[in-house]
């Protein structure tokens, strides 16, 4: 899909990704989009487009080509293309394939929009809706290697790399202090953030959260305890770097974090916490004290079999650039203040 190839679902139609397609002459009267994007296009008043989390199949008045389909898919083009449609939402007989296509688009980091059974699409790649479940199966994750890694917070830290045969992302854990089976570690799940962790972005609090978590674990180790930082390759809460930057652009137009993701047709939370539970299991960790202000993380880990004995608050001051972002996490995502 990143290469723009059409895909053919077992029991479903041929789907051509709008953003990356190499079939420039492809046309179709039908297009598959997400429910969130359908809502921003004012389609939710149609019964077939009213279910909040179901993909939406739309039919245009005239056949769509890639030039006319891209503004439907990409909200960055809304201002330049304010008049779209009219569209009619239609019933989907291949719901499993449609849901799988939306998830595969998210994994690929592309806009979730497809031309359906287009002419001139080229040879399609066969795929099964069940392939998505196989791709995300956490049990396939294994420890690839581990090594001593002196860091600023702790010169005795150890890094552990995890890899799955079905996933190119490689997650890592930093173990700070001496691992003790009878002592619950202080644990932080930290999702990758290139802009915050590496570039020092002020639009989020990711970089300061990472530094503060490592410092807290180092202090824990000095008191005879230990800590584990899980660094998850889940940029942008699971929507990928490019789509995160697209959301930033929409935020500059006045939308908050959640509204921006919805306009992109993407979920505001798409991280896979079962992978974090698998990493802890491979490290031999059964119970933890979790550093977070996000109750969803506690519930997700407990549902995956990790015993969370304590939620340790992890609150940092805001700045003029991220105050609205942090307020949105509090008011719309249920993050706690302490």
């Amino acid at each position: 899909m990143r290469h723009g190839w059409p895909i053919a679902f077992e029991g479903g139609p041929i789907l051509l990704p709008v953003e990356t397609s190499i079939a420039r002459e492809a046309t179709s009267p039908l297009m598959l989009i997400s429910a969130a994007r359908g809502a921003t296009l004012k389609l939710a008043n149609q019964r077939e487009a009213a279910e909040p989390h179901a993909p939406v199949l739309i039919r245009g008045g005239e056949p769509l080509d890639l030039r006319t389909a891209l503004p439907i898919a990409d909200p960055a083009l809304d201002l330049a293309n304010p008049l779209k449609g009219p569209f009619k939402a239609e019933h989907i007989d291949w719901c499993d394939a449609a849901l799988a296509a939306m998830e595969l688009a998210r994994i690929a980091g592309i806009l979730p929009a497809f031309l359906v059974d287009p002419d001139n699409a080229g040879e399609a790649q066969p795929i099964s809706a069940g392939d998505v479940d196989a791709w995300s199966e956490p049990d396939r994750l294994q420890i690839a290697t581990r090594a001593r890694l002196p860091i600023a917070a702790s010169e005795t830290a150890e890094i552990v790399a995890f890899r799955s045969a079905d996933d190119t992302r490689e997650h890592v854990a930093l173990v700070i202090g001496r691992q003790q089976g009878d002592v619950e570690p202080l644990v932080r799940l930290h999702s990758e953030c290139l802009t915050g962790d590496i570039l020092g972005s002020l639009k989020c609090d990711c970089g300061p959260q990472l530094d503060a978590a490592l410092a807290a674990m180092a202090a824990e180790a000095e008191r005879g305890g230990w800590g584990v930082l899980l660094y998850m390759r889940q940029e942008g809460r699971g929507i990928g770097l490019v789509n995160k930057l697209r959301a930033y652009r929409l935020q500059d137009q006045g939308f908050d974090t959640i509204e921006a993701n919805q306009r992109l047709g993407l979920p505001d939370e798409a991280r896979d916490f079962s992978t974090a539970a698998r990493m802890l299991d491979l490290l031999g960790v059964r119970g933890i004290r979790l550093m977070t202000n996000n109750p969803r993380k506690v519930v997700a880990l407990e549902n995956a079999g990790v015993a969370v004995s304590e939620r340790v608050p992890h609150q940092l001051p805001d700045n003029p650039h991220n105050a609205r972002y942090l307020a949105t996490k509090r008011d719309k995502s249920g993050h706690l203040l302490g």
Side-chain angles (χ1 to χ4, degrees):
M1 289 171 63
R2 289 283 289 272
H3 288 293
W5 298 341
I7 55 176
F9 276 96
E10 185 180 309
I14 292 175
L15 298 177
L16 184 67
V18 169
E19 179 185 351
T20 58
S21 174
I22 58 175
R24 309 314 299 176
E25 304 302 318
T27 60
S28 173
L30 296 171
M31 187 170 169
L32 183 70
I33 59 176
S34 75
R37 185 60 179 152
T40 67
L41 296 174
K42 311 302 181 185
L43 299 176
N45 61 342
Q46 299 186 41
R47 183 179 62 184
E48 290 80 1
E51 188 173 337
H53 302 292
V56 177
L57 180 65
I58 60 174
R59 180 181 293 274
E62 297 181 355
L64 299 164
D65 57 21
L66 293 176
R67 180 185 61 81
T68 53
L70 190 58
I72 301 171
D74 190 350
L77 303 177
D78 281 348
L79 295 179
N81 300 269
L83 300 177
K84 303 181 183 70
F87 303 117
K88 178 184 177 184
E90 299 199 345
H91 177 71
I92 301 178
D93 293 320
W94 32 277
C95 291
D96 288 347
L99 287 167
M102 293 291 106
E103 180 65 5
L104 287 173
R106 182 194 66 80
I107 292 170
I110 64 174
L111 294 169
F114 301 85
L115 291 181
V116 180
D117 276 335
D119 297 327
N120 304 312
E123 183 178 355
Q125 305 298 309
I127 194 168
S128 166
D131 291 342
V132 178
D133 294 332
W135 186 88
S136 60
E137 179 55 57
D139 288 346
R140 298 180 69 86
L141 193 73
Q142 298 294 334
I143 292 178
T145 192
R146 56 201 308 162
R148 188 177 70 87
L149 183 69
I151 61 174
S154 172
E155 294 184 0
T156 61
E158 180 186 32
I159 188 168
V160 185
F162 301 81
R163 186 160 58 189
S164 171
D166 299 324
D167 190 351
T168 58
R169 297 173 302 173
E170 294 167 336
H171 309 288
V172 299
L174 274 176
V175 179
I176 296 178
R178 185 174 63 86
Q179 183 167 348
Q180 306 166 64
D182 58 338
V183 177
E184 291 183 339
L186 184 63
V187 171
R188 170 71 183 167
L189 272 63
H190 188 90
S191 296
E192 174 185 35
C193 180
L194 172 70
T195 50
D197 298 342
I198 306 301
L199 302 179
S201 168
L202 298 177
K203 287 180 69 71
C204 64
D205 58 345
C206 298
Q209 279 194 336
L210 176 60
D211 294 339
L214 292 172
M217 290 174 190
E220 190 78 8
E222 289 179 359
R223 294 191 293 267
W226 62 298
V228 180
L229 184 126
L230 303 179
Y231 195 86
M232 313 292 296
R233 302 294 302 279
Q234 301 183 127
E235 181 81 50
R237 291 177 170 255
I239 67 173
L241 176 62
V242 171
N243 282 330
K244 182 180 85 168
L245 298 182
R246 286 177 169 139
Y248 279 1
R249 181 173 177 176
L250 291 171
Q251 290 168 35
D252 288 341
Q253 296 175 15
F255 299 101
D256 66 31
T257 311
I258 292 177
E259 291 167 344
N261 282 29
Q262 289 172 342
R263 293 193 74 83
L264 287 166
L266 294 164
D268 61 280
E269 177 59 88
R271 288 176 290 184
D272 177 15
F273 295 119
S274 61
T275 297
R278 171 64 175 170
M279 293 167 70
L280 291 171
D281 182 57
L282 290 170
L283 290 172
V285 177
R286 303 292 180 265
I288 64 173
R289 298 164 54 230
L290 184 64
M291 294 185 71
T292 185
N293 292 324
N294 184 356
R296 292 185 189 178
K297 284 185 179 180
V298 177
V299 173
L301 285 179
E302 288 180 335
N303 288 341
V306 178
V308 181
S309 65
E310 180 186 1
R311 183 190 68 81
V312 180
H314 194 46
Q315 187 77 17
L316 295 169
D318 60 13
N319 67 61
H321 301 277
N322 69 13
R324 189 186 184 197
Y325 162 77
L326 296 178
T328 299
K329 289 205 296 184
R330 179 195 65 214
D331 298 338
K332 290 190 174 182
S333 298
H335 285 224
L336 304 175
L337 294 177

